[in-house]
Structures are given as C-alpha cells and as structure tokens.
C-alpha cells in the first residue's frame, strides 16, 4: 500500500529538483491476436490494447493529483509485432503500425513500443517484413516506436541485420526529412535487449512476460546533482554513498507509485527501472552530475570513470528500494535530451568516440545522436556494430538511436521538441567501413557465452 509519509519526504525533491516518475508503462501481450487475415489481426490488436489500457492515463493522472507526484508519461508496450503479425498474409506491417497508433491515441498515451523484431541469430520472413516496414511505419504514425535486437552475448551479432538497419535508418530519415529525420528518434537498434524496459523508444513486451503488467521508470538527475553539492571535495567513497542514498529515495517513490497504479488498474506490478533519465531542462542533467564530481566539461578525461561510479551507485542504492528491479537501470546519456551533454557536444569536448567509451559503463548506448545527413548507411551500420560488440562482450544492454539529419552538416542543430530536445550535428569519421559491413554473416558469440 502507498505510504503517504514516504511520499511527503520527497516533496522538496519534486518541487525543486525535477524529481518525477518518468513513465508508467503497461505491457500487453498480443500473442492471442495472431491471425492470417491482416484486418482481423489488426482488429484484435486494437480491441485488446484499448480494453487493457483504457484506464491507464486516468489512473496515472489521479495518482498525480492525490499525491502530488508528477508522472510525466503514460505508455504502452506490446509483444514484438514481427511475432504477432508473422502469420499474416501480407508483405508489409505498416497497417499494424497504424493500428497501434490508433490504439495509443484512443488510450491517450504518448508512445507505444513494440514495432519490433528480435533477430540476434537470424531473421524469419516476418522479421524481414517488420524491418523493411519501419521507414514507412515511422513516417505514417505519430506515437509508434520501433526496435530491432541485432545481437546478444549468447548468439553473437547478426551482421546481415546490422547492414540492413543502416539502410533502414537512412530511409527513415529521408521519409521524415521535413521534420529533420524525426522518425529516426523512434527507432532503436539493440544488443541484449531486455523484455521489461519501460522507456521509449526501445520498450517492448517480451514473450517471457505476463499477459499484462505495469512497469515504472523513475528519474531524478537533478536530485542526485543537488545531493552531490553537499559533499564537494570529499573522497569518491563518500560520493558513491551519497548517490546510493539518493537513488534509494528516488526508487522508493517509483516502487510505491507502481504498486498503487497496479492495484487500481488490476494488473500485476512488474519492475522499477532505476535509470536516471535526463530532460533538456536546466537542472535535470546527467552531464552536470559528472561535472559536479570535478570534471570541467563532460567528455574530458575522467568522464568514463565518473560515469562508471554513478551507474554502479545508482544500481546499488536503487535495488534495496524495490521488490523487483529490471529494465535498463543505471544512467542514460542521450545527447539531445540532456542540456549538459548538448553543451559539451557543441563546444567540441564530447565527441562520438568518447560517447562510445562511456557506453561501456552506462545503461544503454549511443542515444539521440545527430550526424550529418550525408553519412552513409555503411557508416551507420558500423556504428551499430561497434555498439553491439560492446554489449555482446560485456554481457550488457547497448543500443544505438542515431539521426542522420537530412541536409544538415556538422555545427547545425536538429530541433525535435519536448522531451526529445535538440541535438547538435556531430562529426563521424570520413574513412569508409563499407568493406567491413559488406561481409555479412554473423560475428560469433564470445567465450563468456558458454556458461551452461
């Protein structure tokens, strides 16, 4: 049961430090919506989503009003569409994406995730249909998010899928060029994707999940930043302990809100994702936390070590505050969604190579990065391959959400608005990776995959 005393102890964080519940995300299984007839499948999908999630927004808003806790987003994730629509007699899944979009609009949520395929070891016919439907689906819908898992520690990296995703991202940018390639902001390429991630654009409802479940994503970079101001100049073990205690408070709020929303909706409570998710607002930045540890600007030497400490301390503090921790859980470093990251990229201190190094120790990967519009598909694929390799070898989730901004060059800015923020266009290496990507096949799984 929700403990109001616990909530009141966080009121100052909410009022002054940008603390909020970033999202409550309802996961819905669509396995019983399969049908050879595309229209019948879409009808089943629409009916099930709107039935299960009809009260999601209302319940979230009521909890906000009653307890004064901002719940920024209410979202839905569904079973990967490549699985659900695999039996449909059709060459394209764009109509399924339109159905998801209509259901999301009816329910009042801002995003719905699960236009997804899991292809780490190979692609089925349905997987290829899904992947090749992504550009048109992203252009034709407002709220649908897509994801493709191209690698895992167990399976290795599907380089045929990696090569195709470079082309898909380029095409998506082209079809949404009137919005600076905004469709690419709704497409994530994963390695070691998790089944219970509540954050977009990578959320989907895994096949190992219940029929319906509620997952919560918390936030609070501003709270951690403020807490560190009280330990200026003190040793790193004091810094780590301060972050742990703060993460406990943040996560406890997420646990309590998730339990209450679960009870009111009549669906099981799943997990709390501990991730520190920044916004473009001043005072809500992961970059500023790292700078508070003593870095002049994020991206300078020492940044990776500072991020490693932050990520570890967040996990250690948060895990004690929740019955079930899941999702990605750690610290996000999306460039366009973090005002400190934007500033560091604009002054040239934060470069793509440094961001890649930082992804070795953070929660996700190269996130919300804009690159020149003339960046080749092969270069994008090579960036994906590098990131997938980090995830595969380190047994962690990594991802790429990259925007080759049409008609933009280094120094320009891509404006996406809202939580997506704005991104400075960052340079990529000008030497070709085409021969590497053209090989295809599968990069074998590393030795640590043999754990049985």
């Amino acid at each position: 049961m929700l403990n109001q005393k616990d909530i009141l102890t966080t009121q100052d964080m909410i009022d002054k430090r940008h603390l909020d519940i970033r999202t409550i995300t309802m996961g819905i299984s669509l396995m019983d919506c399969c049908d050879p007839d595309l229209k019948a499948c879409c009808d089943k999908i629409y009916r099930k989503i709107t039935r299960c999630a009809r009260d999601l927004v209302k319940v979230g808003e009521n909890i906000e009003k009653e307890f004064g806790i901002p719940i920024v987003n209410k979202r839905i994730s569904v079973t990967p569409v490549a699985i659900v629509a695999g039996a449909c007699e059709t060459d394209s899944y764009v109509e399924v994406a339109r159905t998801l979009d209509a259901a999301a609009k009816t329910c009042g949520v801002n995003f719905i995730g699960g236009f997804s395929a899991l292809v780490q070891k190979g692609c089925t016919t349905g997987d290829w249909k899904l992947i090749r439907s992504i550009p048109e689906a992203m252009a034709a819908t407002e709220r649908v998010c897509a994801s493709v898992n191209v690698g895992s520690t167990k399976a290795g990296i599907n380089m045929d899928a990696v090569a195709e995703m470079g082309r898909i991202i380029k095409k998506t940018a082209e079809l949404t060029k009137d919005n600076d390639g905004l469709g690419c902001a709704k497409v994530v390429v994963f390695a070691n994707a998790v089944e219970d991630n509540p954050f977009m654009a990578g959320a989907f409802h895994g096949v190992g999940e219940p029929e319906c479940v509620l997952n919560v994503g918390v936030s609070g970079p501003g709270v951690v930043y403020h807490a560190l101001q009280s330990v200026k100049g003190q040793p790193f073990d004091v810094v780590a302990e301060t972050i742990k205690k703060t993460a406990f408070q943040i996560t406890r709020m997420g646990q309590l809100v998730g339990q209450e929303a679960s009870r009111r909706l009549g669906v099981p409570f799943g997990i709390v994702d501990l991730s520190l998710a920044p916004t473009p607002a001043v005072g809500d930045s992961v970059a500023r936390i790292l700078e508070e540890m003593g870095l002049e600007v994020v991206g300078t030497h020492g940044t990776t070590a500072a991020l490693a400490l932050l990520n570890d301390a967040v996990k250690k503090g948060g895990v004690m505050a929740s019955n079930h921790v899941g999702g990605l859980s750690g610290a996000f470093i999306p460039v366009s969604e973090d005002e400190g990251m934007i500033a560091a990229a604009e002054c040239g201190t934060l470069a793509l190579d440094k961001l890649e190094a930082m992804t070795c120790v953070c929660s996700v990967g190269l996130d919300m990065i804009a690159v020149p519009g003339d960046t080749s598909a092969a270069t994008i694929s090579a960036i994906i391959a590098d990131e997938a390799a980090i995830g595969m070898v380190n047994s962690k989730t990594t991802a790429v959400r990259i925007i080759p901004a049409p008609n933009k060059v280094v120094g320009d800015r891509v404006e996406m608005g809202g939580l997506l923020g704005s991104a400075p266009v960052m340079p990529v290496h000008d030497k070709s990776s085409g021969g590497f990507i053209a090989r295809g096949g599968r990069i074998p799984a590393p030795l640590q995959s043999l754990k049985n």
Side-chain angles (χ1 to χ4, degrees), residues 3 5 31 33 109 134-135 148 161 164 169 175 203 226 234 244 249 254 267 307 356 368 405 408 432:
N3 184 324
K5 184 178 179 181
M31 294 298 286
C33 298
V109 299
I134 287 174
V148 178
E164 184 66 8
I169 289 169
L175 291 183
H226 177 71
Q234 296 193 39
K244 283 165 57 180
Q249 292 177 285
V267 301
L307 183 58
E356 182 182 305
M368 291 302 289
K408 299 281 187 178
S432 174

Side-chain angles (χ1 to χ4, degrees), residues 199-349:
F199 286 100
M200 298 297 170
F204 63 87
H205 186 70
V207 295
E209 292 290 299
E211 181 72 13
C212 188
V213 69
L214 193 77
N215 298 317
V216 174
V218 297
S219 187
V223 179
V224 176
Y225 171 75
H226 177 71
L228 289 185
Q229 289 181 314
S230 66
V231 294
K232 286 183 181 291
Q234 296 193 39
F236 280 116
D237 28 7
V238 176
V239 172
E241 189 66 20
T242 301
I243 295 170
K244 283 165 57 180
K245 290 177 179 178
T246 307
F248 178 90
Q249 292 177 285
I250 294 169
T251 306
R252 192 62 185 158
M253 187 180 75
Q255 167 78 12
L256 296 171
V257 169
Q259 286 179 327
E260 181 67 8
S262 171
R263 183 186 67 80
R264 296 188 186 192
L265 289 164
V267 301
F269 174 53
I271 58 92
V272 175
D273 188 314
L274 311 179
S275 300
L276 292 181
T279 72
V282 174
D284 201 25
S285 164
V286 169
R288 300 307 184 194
I289 297 173
L290 304 179
E291 291 170 355
E292 184 60 28
M293 293 186 199
L295 304 173
E296 183 177 358
V297 179
V298 161
T300 193
H301 306 296
T303 299
T304 305
L307 183 58
L309 183 154
L310 173 64
N311 210 53
D312 179 67
V314 166
K315 292 176 188 289
K316 287 175 177 174
V319 76
M320 296 297 293
S322 177
N323 294 342
H324 299 286
V325 171
L328 301 167
S329 289
F332 287 176
I333 53 170
V335 174
S336 78
E337 298 172 14
D338 186 312
E339 61 86 15
M341 296 287 180
I342 294 169
E346 286 183 328
C347 76
T349 304

